[in-house]
Amino acid sequence: MQRLHHSLLQLRHKSPLKFFFLTAAFILVCTSLLFYSRPGDATSSSNDDLVHPLPSNSNSTDSKDTCYVDIDALRSYGYNSSAQYARLEIAVERTANFSGFSDTLDARFPKYQSVRLDQVAHREPLPQRVCSPAVTIQAPLPVAPPNASHILFGVATTLDRLEESLDAFAHWAAGTETRIYALVEEEVLSSVQRVQRLAEAKDIRLVIIDRADERLDRYFYLLRVLLKYRDASTQWAVLIDDDTFFPSMKNLVDRLATYDASKPQYIGALTEDLAQMFSWSFMAYGGAGIFLSMPILEQLDKVYDECNAFKTTGDRRVAMCIYEHTTTKLTWDRDLYQLDLRGDASGFYESGRPLPLSVHHWKSWFQADMVGLGQVAAICGDSCQLHRWRLKDHWFLVNGFSMVRYTSPDPSDLMEKTWEDSKYRGGDGFAFSLGPFRGKDEGKVSFRLRSAWQQAGTVRQIYVHDLGPEKPPEVLEVVWKPASA
């Protein structure tokens, strides 16, 4: 370039006319080079409105943009071709004047659009009109986690199952100052410390104690552990299974406050199945939670060795010890649930009845994503979990569990009996606990929750209706967002 510049200067003095033409040509060449070196080509201006794939890190839960289909989430359910996708946005106004949720929602099931899943992109942007709230509801003001420092929980399990349970424990225990004592089989210290750190990161006060006893003996030994670690403020010792789930710790704290903890108390729930009761007796079943006051715990400690000789299940061992050595009897709290239901428990969850204090067996005897269900409490409070709204077109949104449409447009408020029959031969073995019932609706359309997460102040729920391997699934995403967003 410097040599060219020198030649032009020489030419300028010798022949002004030639210099003029050569200079013009030089400018034309430079302009052409500059034009063709721009990114894109002549057609780029006509493609400005096309949707381009976003980079792989674009669907981080920290992203403020939620107006897109999460392709990776849909693929994670095992779908790889296409899906029919619909989206319902609900705005939530938190107010001090909240008086309860209505049973109706002024909205309709949204329209579908086809989404390709066999693409490189991780998300598919949506038009802004699709991401506008269809309806606004009111919800109570946010509240801090309750102080549950007066409650001690005990669980006998394995270290692996304990780790798997941490997300569920975090829903009800995080930030409440309650303590959970976990008795596990003897483990490598480094593994125990790793799970301990995971719990601390989730703000769970977890103490892991390894003990070589058989699991049922470890369960009964929890009585001594909880008595040992009580302090002056402790009122309740609670025995749980690793799949015991409390949807609302505030509701649980409030309910326990209605009982006199200064007296011997043995509180829990029966099995829902009379066949189970005939096998295991009238007692508090462990999955629902067994609640013991300090006076009864002290009485049991005095006869611990004698009661530990009862070689039966842990919860039955506790019951036998109480019945044979104290005058205390079981108080059945009807909002605690063992949920001895096999197969499809959707009828229980979709019944529209009050939010349970506890549930159990949700990842064994039947499948229900309680961790996913609990996500929505962050934006509309504990009381909106499992709340059932009826939409204008006869769909029912059971918050955190399903979106359903029944064969009859006006189903009764009787609980739909969807699970397997009891082996009890003296009538309906479940009627005494869960009835009255209506028959299973074989023709109902059900979208079940597959996942839920919090993102940028919103909660995203994905419900799926699986139509079989030959047809693309129908997907409904419900997005809950603050009314001011």
Side-chain angles (χ1 to χ4, degrees):
M1 182 65 73
Q2 289 180 342
R3 293 179 59 188
L4 178 60
H5 178 67
H6 178 71
S7 299
L8 287 173
L9 288 177
Q10 289 183 327
L11 188 62
R12 175 184 178 184
H13 294 292
K14 293 181 180 180
S15 177
L17 186 59
K18 288 183 179 181
F19 171 77
F20 172 78
F21 285 112
L22 285 172
T23 300
F26 176 77
I27 293 173
L28 180 61
V29 170
C30 290
T31 302
S32 299
L33 288 172
L34 179 64
F35 175 79
Y36 285 105
S37 67
R38 290 175 56 199
D41 53 28
T43 64
S44 62
S45 61
S46 64
N47 290 335
D48 287 345
D49 294 330
L50 293 182
V51 174
H52 300 284
L54 298 171
S56 60
N57 63 351
S58 62
N59 46 348
S60 163
T61 55
D62 293 331
S63 172
K64 293 184 179 180
D65 175 25
T66 61
C67 192
Y68 63 87
V69 182
D70 192 324
I71 302 297
D72 285 341
L74 302 189
R75 283 193 287 240
S76 72
Y77 311 142
Y79 304 119
N80 299 305
S81 179
S82 65
Q84 293 296 105
Y85 174 88
R87 184 181 179 108
L88 174 64
E89 297 236 353
I90 301 174
V92 180
E93 178 188 358
R94 310 299 290 263
T95 174
N97 298 320
F98 179 73
S99 58
F101 294 108
S102 71
D103 293 331
T104 59
L105 203 61
D106 191 19
R108 297 180 180 276
F109 195 103
K111 294 181 179 180
Y112 290 116
Q113 65 182 68
S114 183
V115 175
R116 286 184 52 195
L117 305 181
D118 57 347
Q119 57 177 304
V120 176
H122 298 268
R123 60 165 71 171
E124 182 170 311
L126 293 168
Q128 199 60 46
R129 57 178 173 76
V130 177
C131 301
S132 299
V135 65
T136 298
I137 67 167
Q138 290 190 332
L141 292 175
V143 295
N147 184 346
S149 59
H150 60 297
I151 309 173
L152 304 183
F153 291 87
V155 59
T157 184
T158 65
L159 193 64
D160 287 343
R161 287 181 63 92
L162 179 63
E163 181 177 352
E164 293 171 0
S165 302
L166 289 182
D167 285 339
F169 285 2
H171 173 83
W172 51 267
T176 67
E177 299 301 316
T178 192
R179 285 170 284 162
I180 303 174
Y181 292 87
L183 291 187
V184 301
E185 301 168 342
E186 288 186 309
E187 291 280 355
V188 177
L189 179 60
S190 59
S191 298
V192 172
Q193 292 173 334
R194 180 181 59 81
V195 175
Q196 193 83 54
R197 288 193 296 270
L198 290 174
E200 291 171 358
K202 298 178 184 296
D203 201 14
I204 303 171
R205 298 182 66 186
L206 175 67
V207 178
I208 303 175
I209 303 170
D210 59 353
R211 189 174 172 86
D213 293 343
E214 192 272 332
R215 185 179 67 85
L216 296 180
D217 289 336
R218 279 186 278 122
Y219 184 98
F220 194 71
Y221 187 70
L222 284 169
L223 298 178
R224 286 205 151 164
V225 170
L226 298 178
L227 187 65
K228 175 183 177 180
Y229 287 102
R230 66 174 175 170
D231 57 31
S233 67
T234 304
Q235 297 180 13
W236 298 99
V238 187
L239 306 180
I240 61 173
D241 289 353
D242 54 31
D243 60 345
T244 302
F245 186 84
F246 301 104
S248 172
M249 187 59 138
K250 182 182 183 304
N251 289 356
L252 183 63
V253 169
D254 290 347
R255 180 62 57 84
L256 288 177
T258 66
Y259 296 103
D260 187 351
S262 68
K263 297 179 179 179
Q265 297 279 6
Y266 172 45
I267 302 168
L270 300 172
T271 174
E272 293 78 18
D273 184 357
L274 280 177
Q276 288 285 104
M277 192 182 305
F278 270 77
S279 296
W280 299 106
S281 82
F282 186 94
M283 66 178 191
Y285 285 71
I290 300 174
F291 297 79
L292 304 170
S293 63
M294 291 302 101
I296 193 71
L297 201 60
E298 292 169 352
Q299 292 178 20
L300 298 182
D301 188 63
K302 294 175 181 177
V303 291
Y304 177 85
D305 291 333
E306 186 174 348
C307 292
N308 197 35
F310 302 145
K311 295 307 178 182
T312 182
T313 61
D315 48 7
R316 192 178 185 198
R317 201 177 306 185
V318 172
M320 291 174 66
C321 193
I322 291 173
Y323 292 156
E324 295 191 16
H325 294 283
T326 79
T327 59
T328 302
K329 304 304 177 190
L330 172 64
T331 298
W332 179 14
D333 190 304
R334 297 300 302 270
D335 290 322
L336 299 170
Y337 288 95
Q338 168 74 3
L339 284 193
D340 282 340
L341 312 178
R342 293 186 182 275
D344 178 8
S346 62
F348 172 83
Y349 287 97
E350 294 169 349
S351 65
R353 295 184 183 179
L355 183 68
L357 286 178
S358 67
V359 295
H360 178 231
H361 281 149
W362 51 276
K363 52 182 178 179
S364 54
W365 289 27
F366 57 85
Q367 297 298 313
D369 183 1
M370 301 309 297
V371 176
L373 181 149
Q375 295 297 313
V376 76
I379 196 164
C380 54
D382 287 348
S383 57
C384 76
Q385 298 173 98
L386 288 180
H387 186 80
R388 188 178 69 176
W389 282 280
R390 178 173 178 164
L391 278 64
K392 294 169 67 174
D393 46 3
H394 306 300
W395 285 91
F396 288 84
L397 173 61
V398 183
N399 198 6
F401 187 82
S402 65
M403 176 75 90
V404 292
R405 186 168 185 171
Y406 298 99
T407 302
S408 168
D410 295 299
S412 69
D413 288 331
L414 303 180
M415 184 179 290
E416 181 189 6
K417 191 178 177 185
T418 56
W419 54 90
E420 296 176 13
D421 288 335
S422 170
K423 295 181 180 180
Y424 177 69
R425 296 182 178 180
D428 191 325
F430 293 101
F432 86 101
S433 60
L434 298 176
F437 298 122
R438 58 188 173 89
K440 185 174 182 178
D441 187 341
E442 299 290 352
K444 79 175 181 181
V445 180
S446 179
F447 288 71
R448 290 287 294 273
L449 183 77
R450 293 297 299 269
S451 62
W453 65 94
Q454 299 177 37
Q455 179 180 348
T458 71
V459 173
R460 305 181 66 168
Q461 301 170 324
I462 296 183
Y463 301 85
V464 176
H465 180 212
D466 193 317
L467 297 173
E470 303 301 323
K471 294 183 179 181
E474 295 174 338
V475 177
L476 170 67
E477 180 167 11
V478 180
V479 180
W480 301 78
K481 59 176 53 176
S484 57

